[in-house]
Amino acid sequence: MKMQQFLQFLNQQLIHWRRQYTTLRRKGKLMRSPKSKTHRRELLRTMLKNILLFLSKTNHKSVGVARRRHRRKQERALKPKAKSVKTQSRIYAVGLDWAYQQRYSVILAIAIVSLTGVIGNKLYNQTQLQVGNPAPQTITAPYTANIENQKKTEAKRKAVSESSLQVLMLDARMNEEINKNLQQLLDNGNEIRAVAGAFPFFDSVILSISTQRYLRSCPESEWQALLLTVENSKNQQKKPKGQTTTSSNQERQERTTPKSDSQSPKKTEPTDFSQNTDFTQAVAELESYRLITSEKNLSLLIALISQARQRYTQATAKLLQLESVKPEAVYEESLLLDLLDVEWEKTQRGIHQIIERILAQGIPQGLPKNILQDAVSLQLQTFVPEDAETLAKNVLLAVLKPNLQNDEEQTRENAQKAAAGVPPVMEKVRSGEVIVKKGAQITAWNFEVLEHYHLIRREIKWQELLKLGSVIAIAIGIFVWVERHIDYELRQRDRLLVLLLTLSVPGAIAIGLPYTTWSALGLLLGSFYGSTLALTVVGLLLPILGVSLEMSKAALLAGVGGGILGSYIAQRLRSREELALLGVAIALTQGSIYLVVKILIGQAFGSTWYIVLQEAGLFALSGLGWSIVALGLSPYLEKVFDLVTPIRLAELANPNRPLLKRLATETPGTFQHTLLVATLAEAAAKELGCNVELVRAGTLYHDIGKMHDPLGFIENQMGGPNKHDTEIKDPWKSAEIIKKHVTEGLVMARKHLLPTAIQAFIPEHQGTMLIAYFHHQAQQMAQEDPSLIVDDADFRYDGPIPQSRETGIVMLADSCEAALRSLQASAKSPGKKPSLKDVSTEQALTMLNNILRAKWQDNQLVDSGLTREEMSQIAEIFVEVWQQFHHKRIAYPKFKASGAALNS
């Protein structure tokens, strides 16, 4: 309980001291005036007195007499130390004064030291002795030890790794191609056999398979001779025995001899086919069929044979045509067409089984052709009919190709495992043995032995660090020059944030992350401070990191590309969704740049192409990942470092924000006034090139303090009685109420954690202006009562005056809006028509110029950055906006009661 009371008291005192400090700093009395020492002594004395007083009160209530005596002893013991405390407080005050005055230089020094320390981290622990340098003295071994010879171990492991067998993997694409070619060949065979027709085409019991093959494929002359022989045999059975054979021979001669066109018979010698075994067997089988059946069935059989012969001829012609188109065709007439249908089906199944087995076993590159032929022949004996073995062999050899390729990843893993299994090569170094003689060149083995005995002296490369620090100092100098030439004025906290974000890139590299934070750096800096500053930081980091750190140039360029894209576009976006899309664009940019660089240097070709693609994909994912991290950190950084970005300003200007909803509900008149002021200020800010989003958001919050007493302001009285005239009747109290809307507004703004840039609009839009109405009332009362003293400070706002062009514009818009509203009211006074003809543009412009001149002459705008020439331009802009809101309307003619139509 005591501790809680003490903390509450201490918190109140800190708030009080902070307000005193702010007031003194604003008035220039702290750390600048000659009386600064007196103020500091008073401040420290008050703090010590309050703490001791609080402790005495709490102890008086909670402890007894013994505790009070002990406390008094402590107080008496503290008295001799008062002088030393005062002396130390003076030293601390002087130190704080110097640190405050030199804060900019201190931050620059911190930036140089921190960047040099992070980027040059490898220069801290460098060996004094290097391989290849001469030894400064003869060095011997202090004791006996077994030391690994890393060079020999590496050579041995490399030999084992290179001698490890390569791992082969099936090429699915090649298997698919082989099966496709095989199916094409088999489809061609099926097509040719379909043209030839079914085989056997007749009952093999009557006509043997060999006879059917012969009858279907024999030459036409043999077929005609066979028909003649069968016919003569039939005639001989029908004629009488006494008839000589001369007439029959003559008849056969006439049938077998073709006639010429003049129908004159031509005598030819008949061919004797009796020596042809197939011929005689076919004749015998046909005559046997005649004996067991009728002549009609024999005629039908002969017709069927003729049809089979025709189809066989067509199939042969198609086969020849196929061979002419594809010279590599594997089919032969006798092999393909002589197979039975059942044999052909079995052959096809066997071929599929054989090729499936062979492809599953794999065909390596460079396999001798005879080995593949032997493997195919062994498989044919099992799966293919004997008559089809030759055909199947030709088909298989035509389509089979090597289908094994090297599995580089598995081969590498096996090689690594084999190398890891090799034990290290250990060499024994005895005590007192000379490791290296003086002046001798230090070898890698000597260096390993010296390292084992801790005889390598390490040191910091101060010279290299100094060079790196000089380069970084030059880069920071360029950054400072750019900073002073941009519109955005950086605070010390902004410079600190820029430093922290910049350190994230070399810091990520130093801890071994392969994918740096370039995308987050560009996106955050571009969003917070604009493209110029962000591009400067990214551009300065590129050469420093490229020279100082050992990293892939492709990775460096890829990261820089993503950082540049984020820096250039981030501040142009107005929503988190657009920033998320920018993260996707950054990811694609990083991946593409990495891939293009690898292609240009030739590393994307050959066997490592898939590794390059994988790395490019990982770089793209890293860019997206860091962009997501940046989006997540952005709101927290905005609050911690008090930043205003276009997105945050758009969010603050949302009318659904709690403060704005309260303003519209509790003070509707003030809310309407705020909207009109925002319209005027936005138009002027846009024309003068100021931050329009900041002006819009700041204007919406500039009068939130009026919610503490809405009826104290005339725009919220809605025509009701004015409490200042009816209730208060005291200009001093009325002025306090009016002035309080600034202090109460600041309290509300801090309570709702509004950014400092938005809070600045609350006091600065009033500056130190005089509350003229109540000041005039007070002067009149002082004339009537000489005892009253009118102090102008009682009727002036506490300020400060506008410190930026944006707050200056809002001050002018706030004053001119009331004047324009009163001008509009006078134009619509009773007894006049509601028209602006009585109020000309020149009159309105003259009135606004007078108001702006008064503000200028009252020194309200001396710190705003606005020029006297811009005053006239702002007045013209305000009048243009006023005319757009209060434009003239067409005067419609009045109709008579009779409702006469208007003639056009």
Side-chain angles (χ1 to χ4, degrees):
M1 187 65 182
K2 298 176 190 177
M3 182 59 69
Q4 184 177 2
Q5 292 177 356
F6 174 73
L7 291 176
Q8 289 177 354
F9 165 76
L10 188 60
N11 185 38
Q12 293 174 359
Q13 285 298 119
L14 289 174
I15 294 174
H16 175 67
W17 294 334
R18 186 175 63 184
R19 289 176 179 172
Q20 287 184 344
Y21 173 82
T22 304
T23 303
L24 292 174
R25 282 291 303 140
R26 186 179 296 123
K27 294 181 179 180
K29 295 181 179 180
L30 184 63
M31 304 197 184
R32 293 178 184 172
S33 65
K35 298 181 180 180
S36 60
K37 296 182 179 179
T38 304
H39 286 289
R40 288 193 292 271
R41 284 198 296 270
E42 292 177 357
L43 196 62
L44 291 172
R45 190 182 300 113
T46 303
M47 180 179 68
L48 184 61
K49 180 180 179 181
N50 287 332
I51 292 175
L52 294 176
L53 181 61
F54 174 78
L55 292 174
S56 66
K57 288 181 179 180
T58 53
N59 289 336
H60 178 74
K61 294 179 181 179
S62 60
V63 299
V65 178
R67 291 287 182 89
R68 287 200 301 270
R69 290 177 180 175
H70 182 68
R71 176 179 55 79
R72 288 170 185 170
K73 289 182 180 180
Q74 289 180 339
E75 290 177 358
R76 286 195 298 269
L78 287 174
K79 288 181 180 179
K81 300 180 180 178
K83 294 183 179 179
S84 62
V85 170
K86 290 181 180 179
T87 304
Q88 292 178 359
S89 65
R90 292 175 184 175
I91 296 174
Y92 293 153
V94 172
L96 291 174
D97 191 3
W98 180 87
Y100 181 80
Q101 292 177 357
Q102 304 295 329
R103 61 191 183 280
Y104 186 63
S105 302
V106 170
I107 289 181
L108 290 180
I110 292 174
I112 295 173
V113 172
S114 58
L115 284 172
T116 304
V118 174
I119 296 176
N121 64 89
K122 293 186 177 180
L123 301 175
Y124 301 150
N125 194 23
Q126 295 292 316
T127 57
Q128 197 173 27
L129 300 177
Q130 299 290 338
V131 175
N133 294 342
Q137 62 185 14
T138 300
I139 305 174
T140 59
Y143 55 87
T144 303
N146 288 324
I147 304 174
E148 178 186 356
N149 191 325
Q150 295 183 0
K151 185 175 181 180
K152 292 183 178 180
T153 302
E154 187 64 26
K156 189 174 181 181
R157 289 175 178 174
K158 184 178 180 180
V160 172
S161 176
E162 291 177 351
S163 62
S164 62
L165 297 176
Q166 288 188 342
V167 179
L168 301 178
M169 61 182 295
L170 292 174
D171 188 351
R173 183 184 56 81
M174 181 57 67
N175 286 351
E176 183 179 355
E177 181 182 348
I178 291 172
N179 287 319
K180 182 179 178 181
N181 294 337
L182 174 63
Q183 190 60 44
Q184 182 65 37
L185 281 178
L186 296 179
D187 290 343
N188 292 338
N190 287 327
E191 185 178 354
I192 294 170
R193 287 182 60 87
V195 173
F199 187 77
F201 55 85
F202 197 67
D203 188 359
S204 59
V205 176
I206 299 174
L207 288 180
S208 62
I209 298 300
S210 59
T211 300
Q212 292 189 43
R213 288 196 184 103
Y214 170 74
L215 291 175
R216 194 173 60 162
S217 61
C218 66
E220 183 63 24
S221 58
E222 290 189 32
W223 169 246
Q224 293 298 331
L226 188 144
L227 291 177
L228 183 59
T229 304
V230 172
E231 184 67 22
N232 290 338
S233 176
K234 180 181 69 173
N235 293 334
Q236 288 179 1
Q237 293 177 1
K238 290 182 179 181
K239 288 182 180 181
K241 295 182 180 180
Q243 186 176 356
T244 60
T245 61
T246 305
S247 60
S248 62
N249 291 336
Q250 185 178 359
E251 183 179 357
R252 183 181 62 185
Q253 180 76 19
E254 291 176 356
R255 288 183 180 180
T256 57
T257 304
K259 298 180 179 180
S260 64
D261 295 337
S262 59
Q263 298 298 324
S264 58
K266 188 181 288 184
K267 303 292 183 178
T268 57
E269 292 294 331
T271 305
D272 187 8
F273 296 102
S274 58
Q275 302 301 321
N276 189 336
T277 308
D278 294 332
F279 180 86
T280 55
Q281 182 179 351
V283 172
E285 291 181 3
L286 288 174
E287 290 180 351
S288 300
Y289 181 65
R290 181 199 301 170
L291 296 176
I292 63 175
T293 186
S294 62
E295 290 293 337
K296 181 179 180 181
N297 290 337
L298 179 61
S299 300
L300 293 175
L301 175 58
I302 292 174
L304 181 61
I305 295 172
S306 298
Q307 184 181 3
R309 287 177 57 81
Q310 292 177 1
R311 301 188 63 159
Y312 185 85
T313 302
Q314 294 174 0
T316 304
K318 188 171 184 61
L319 183 60
L320 293 175
Q321 181 182 1
L322 182 64
E323 291 178 354
S324 63
V325 175
K326 297 182 179 180
E328 69 278 5
V330 298
Y331 292 124
E332 295 181 9
E333 176 183 343
S334 58
L335 297 177
L336 177 63
L337 298 179
D338 288 350
L339 290 177
L340 303 180
D341 291 346
V342 177
E343 292 176 338
W344 172 245
E345 292 296 332
K346 188 176 180 180
T347 300
Q348 291 186 90
R349 289 194 302 270
I351 289 175
H352 280 295
Q353 292 174 347
I354 293 171
I355 206 163
E356 183 178 353
R357 283 195 170 194
I358 293 178
L359 292 181
Q361 294 174 354
I363 305 174
Q365 296 284 347
L367 183 68
K369 190 174 182 180
N370 61 328
I371 296 179
L372 181 61
Q373 290 176 351
D374 294 341
V376 170
S377 300
L378 291 174
Q379 298 290 336
L380 290 173
Q381 298 175 2
T382 306
F383 297 100
V384 176
E386 183 178 358
D387 294 340
E389 288 183 2
T390 303
L391 174 64
K393 185 176 182 180
N394 294 338
V395 171
L396 290 171
L397 292 177
V399 298
L400 286 175
K401 297 178 181 178
N403 68 329
L404 291 178
Q405 61 179 0
N406 293 335
D407 189 346
E408 296 184 1
E409 184 175 356
Q410 190 63 38
T411 301
R412 184 171 58 255
E413 290 181 2
N414 289 352
Q416 292 175 353
K417 290 180 180 178
V422 176
V425 178
M426 308 298 292
E427 294 190 8
K428 189 173 184 179
V429 179
R430 301 184 180 277
S431 176
E433 182 180 343
V434 175
I435 301 174
V436 60
K437 294 183 178 180
K438 181 179 180 180
Q441 191 177 27
I442 299 175
T443 63
W445 168 244
N446 297 147
F447 189 85
E448 292 176 16
V449 175
L450 294 173
E451 183 74 16
H452 177 81
Y453 287 117
H454 302 288
L455 298 176
I456 299 293
R457 288 180 291 176
R458 297 186 178 272
E459 61 180 359
I460 299 176
K461 298 292 185 180
W462 292 107
Q463 186 176 3
E464 298 297 328
L465 280 176
L466 184 61
K467 291 180 182 179
L468 179 60
S470 302
V471 174
I472 292 175
I474 294 173
I476 291 177
I478 297 173
F479 172 82
V480 172
W481 183 86
V482 173
E483 175 196 337
R484 293 182 176 178
H485 286 78
I486 61 176
D487 296 333
Y488 194 94
E489 184 177 356
L490 295 184
R491 304 161 297 175
Q492 302 307 327
R493 68 184 70 181
D494 296 324
R495 297 186 180 96
L496 179 61
L497 178 58
V498 172
L499 174 61
L500 292 176
L501 293 176
T502 304
L503 285 171
S504 67
V505 177
I509 299 174
I511 64 177
L513 289 179
Y515 311 107
T516 54
T517 62
W518 286 104
S519 56
L521 173 69
L523 197 150
L524 290 174
L525 287 181
S527 179
F528 294 159
Y529 306 113
S531 59
T532 302
L533 200 68
L535 288 173
T536 300
V537 173
V538 174
L540 292 174
L541 269 181
L542 172 61
I544 295 175
L545 297 184
V547 174
S548 304
L549 298 179
E550 297 178 359
M551 59 182 305
S552 168
K553 298 301 182 287
L556 179 64
L557 293 176
V560 170
I564 290 175
L565 181 63
S567 302
Y568 187 71
I569 299 180
Q571 200 173 46
R572 303 183 181 185
L573 307 181
R574 294 297 181 268
S575 68
R576 307 283 180 190
E577 181 181 0
E578 291 178 346
L579 283 177
L581 293 176
L582 176 60
V584 176
I586 289 174
L588 295 176
T589 300
Q590 289 196 176
S592 301
I593 292 178
Y594 183 86
L595 184 61
V596 169
V597 173
K598 286 294 185 179
I599 290 175
L600 292 177
I601 62 179
Q603 293 186 6
F605 304 103
S607 59
T608 60
W609 63 269
Y610 67 95
I611 299 178
V612 174
L613 285 179
Q614 180 181 357
E615 285 294 323
L618 291 175
F619 263 93
L621 290 177
S622 70
L624 180 60
W626 282 118
S627 299
I628 294 173
V629 171
L631 288 176
L633 288 176
S634 179
Y636 300 102
L637 293 177
E638 290 172 2
K639 291 184 180 295
V640 171
F641 290 89
D642 193 23
L643 298 167
V644 285
T645 61
I647 294 176
R648 192 181 184 193
L649 291 174
E651 293 172 350
L652 290 172
N654 188 340
N656 291 319
R657 301 284 294 190
L659 271 179
L660 296 182
K661 290 180 71 174
R662 282 187 57 196
L663 184 67
T665 304
E666 300 176 13
T667 58
T670 300
F671 186 69
Q672 292 301 320
H673 157 77
T674 298
L675 294 179
L676 293 175
V677 173
T679 304
L680 294 173
E682 281 186 59
K686 185 176 181 181
E687 190 68 24
L688 297 180
C690 300
N691 191 334
V692 179
E693 290 86 0
L694 179 60
V695 169
R696 181 189 301 114
T699 308
L700 290 176
Y701 291 93
H702 81 287
D703 270 346
I704 58 175
K706 291 182 179 181
M707 287 188 289
H708 85 282
D709 189 3
L711 295 180
F713 302 90
I714 191 170
E715 67 264 19
N716 297 314
Q717 294 170 2
M718 303 300 177
N722 191 339
K723 64 184 293 184
H724 296 282
D725 298 331
T726 59
E727 299 177 12
I728 302 175
K729 298 180 182 180
D730 185 349
W732 279 269
K733 291 183 179 180
S734 296
E736 284 297 323
I737 292 174
I738 299 300
K739 290 169 60 176
K740 199 173 182 181
H741 90 274
V742 172
T743 56
E744 290 295 327
L746 288 173
V747 171
M748 293 180 184
R750 295 188 186 107
K751 181 180 178 181
H752 287 79
L753 302 178
L754 293 182
T756 303
I758 300 297
Q759 295 181 25
F761 284 84
I762 297 174
E764 292 181 19
H765 87 278
Q766 296 292 0
T768 57
M769 290 191 302
L770 186 69
I771 306 175
Y773 181 80
F774 296 111
H775 181 262
H776 180 67
Q777 280 189 353
Q779 287 179 333
Q780 289 180 340
M781 293 175 67
Q783 291 177 359
E784 297 175 359
D785 185 359
S787 63
L788 295 175
I789 299 175
V790 179
D791 186 359
D792 289 352
D794 295 335
F795 296 92
R796 281 190 178 274
Y797 289 98
D798 296 332
I801 61 176
Q803 301 296 306
S804 66
R805 290 162 61 86
E806 286 78 10
T807 55
I809 290 173
V810 174
M811 169 185 274
L812 300 178
D814 185 66
S815 301
C816 292
E817 189 276 333
L820 291 173
R821 183 154 33 90
S822 64
L823 190 63
Q824 177 65 19
S826 65
K828 295 183 178 181
S829 59
K832 290 186 178 182
K833 296 180 180 180
S835 173
L836 293 180
K837 294 181 180 179
D838 298 330
V839 182
S840 64
T841 303
E842 290 75 14
Q843 291 175 333
L845 189 59
T846 301
M847 183 182 66
L848 294 189
N849 279 322
N850 291 334
I851 295 173
L852 269 59
R853 187 182 303 110
K855 296 288 184 294
W856 185 267
Q857 292 174 352
D858 195 24
N859 293 325
Q860 296 296 317
L861 301 169
V862 293
D863 294 338
S864 66
L866 294 173
T867 62
R868 185 66 187 88
E869 291 75 14
E870 290 174 333
M871 296 294 103
S872 301
Q873 187 178 358
I874 291 172
E876 294 175 357
I877 295 169
F878 288 170
V879 172
E880 290 178 3
V881 176
W882 174 69
Q883 286 178 327
Q884 293 172 3
F885 272 88
H886 304 285
H887 56 273
K888 299 179 181 180
R889 296 185 178 274
I890 299 173
Y892 291 97
K894 294 183 178 180
F895 298 102
K896 296 181 179 180
S898 59
L902 180 64
N903 296 326
S904 58

